[in-house]
Amino acid sequence: REAEKMHNYMLADIARVLKKRSVRVGIPGFELCLALLLLFYGGNGAVSADMRRAAEFALDFFPLVIGTLLFVSVYADDFKCRAMQVAIGAGVSREGIVLAKFGECALLLLFALVPTAALCFLLPGTRHLFYTDAEAASVALTVAQVFLRTLGFMQLAATLCFLTQNSLQGAIAFALLSSNAMFILITMTLLTGPLKDNVGRLRPFLYTALLRTVQSNIQNGKPFAGIFVLAIGMYMLLPLMLALLGFRKKELSF
């Protein structure tokens, strides 16, 4: 019964998000920009490696552009219109709300990322530029890495939303994470000043760095499972557990 209510809540919320004008315009707009880049990048002298670089360059903006759009649509609107309170009143548990939001974000990201990935693979062929096996693997792994990076950032920011019941703080945190501003700031902090000798080696354990290490190891045929489990455990599952525990004890004030 609880699972059915959570499932219905998630589907209803996904339908709400997909009806938003910002989503209906933003996702096709991003894909149009990607298409134009792949169709004209490098001019007549372009080679398949140029297409790979262009695709990966565009995909790197996916968390900031599409991720922010979806995060705000999923969380800010829900807090604003008190939909969570309505769902809880209808019998959805607080844990169900947190899990439903996580699943909703994953499904919406796939909805946006699958056609984006398809463009990355199909459009170069219209210019008679076809990826080598290594280039195709690189683009595919970049797509997977971008999905996990965006979903991880969403969960980190969502945990802040649930603990503070303030979607604005979560949206700001997500924008800082997805724009790499936080990654750059932390990197600069760890590699300079008095922290350099003591904790400078922590940079490889940042989420983005871990995912890129996993991607590189897969491409080079090196072991990656341990690093992958560390990344997902620290930056996705641990915040999810914190949100589940914290939101359960919170008085609803939004």
Side-chain angles (χ1 to χ4, degrees):
R1 186 64 178 176
E2 166 67 18
E4 182 181 352
K5 290 180 179 179
M6 186 176 74
H7 180 258
N8 292 337
Y9 169 70
M10 183 171 67
L11 292 182
D13 213 34
I14 289 175
R16 173 188 64 81
V17 170
L18 294 179
K19 291 178 182 177
K20 287 177 62 66
R21 183 176 180 180
S22 57
V23 172
R24 288 186 294 170
V25 172
I27 294 176
F30 179 83
E31 291 170 354
L32 176 61
C33 292
L34 170 63
L36 292 174
L37 177 66
L38 292 173
L39 288 173
F40 297 104
Y41 182 78
N44 294 331
V47 295
S48 63
D50 294 322
M51 295 297 97
R52 177 193 62 78
R53 283 191 291 270
E56 292 179 351
F57 172 79
L59 286 167
D60 209 37
F61 284 93
F62 184 91
L64 178 61
V65 178
I66 303 302
T68 301
L69 176 63
L70 293 178
F71 183 85
V72 171
S73 298
V74 169
Y75 287 97
D77 291 352
D78 218 347
F79 276 82
K80 184 178 179 180
C81 67
R82 299 176 181 268
M84 288 186 189
Q85 287 179 327
V86 173
I88 291 172
V92 181
S93 69
R94 297 192 183 203
E95 292 83 357
I97 294 287
V98 175
L99 293 174
K101 287 295 185 185
F102 179 79
E104 181 182 335
C105 286
L107 290 174
L108 287 169
L109 283 175
L110 285 175
F111 174 82
L113 192 54
V114 167
T116 300
L119 290 176
C120 290
F121 281 97
L122 297 177
L123 284 183
T126 64
R127 300 177 62 181
H128 303 287
L129 298 173
F130 299 97
Y131 296 130
T132 65
D133 290 344
E135 289 166 349
S138 179
V139 174
L141 287 170
T142 299
V143 170
Q145 181 250 113
V146 165
F147 171 77
L148 292 172
R149 180 165 30 127
T150 309
L151 186 59
F153 289 162
M154 281 183 161
Q155 187 52 52
L156 285 167
T159 299
L160 184 60
C161 286
F162 284 117
L163 294 180
T164 65
Q165 297 184 40
N166 187 322
S167 60
L168 178 60
Q169 294 181 12
I172 292 173
F174 182 83
L176 290 173
L177 290 166
S178 59
S179 66
N180 285 331
M182 190 68 72
F183 179 77
I184 294 170
L185 178 62
I186 294 175
T187 297
M188 291 176 63
T189 302
L190 294 179
L191 296 180
T192 59
L195 296 177
K196 180 177 180 180
D197 295 331
N198 298 319
V199 294
R201 294 180 182 177
L202 290 178
R203 181 184 179 279
F205 294 96
L206 299 178
Y207 189 49
T208 300
L210 285 171
L211 290 179
R212 287 176 175 164
T213 299
V214 170
Q215 179 179 354
S216 175
N217 285 0
I218 293 175
Q219 290 178 265
N220 295 322
K222 297 179 181 179
F224 67 91
I227 302 173
F228 181 73
V229 170
L230 176 65
I232 299 303
M234 286 180 59
Y235 293 97
M236 196 176 298
L237 298 183
L238 189 60
L240 179 60
M241 293 174 60
L242 182 60
L244 288 168
L245 293 173
F247 191 53
R248 179 192 302 172
K249 300 178 181 180
K250 274 284 182 182
E251 282 291 328
L252 296 180
S253 60
F254 51 86

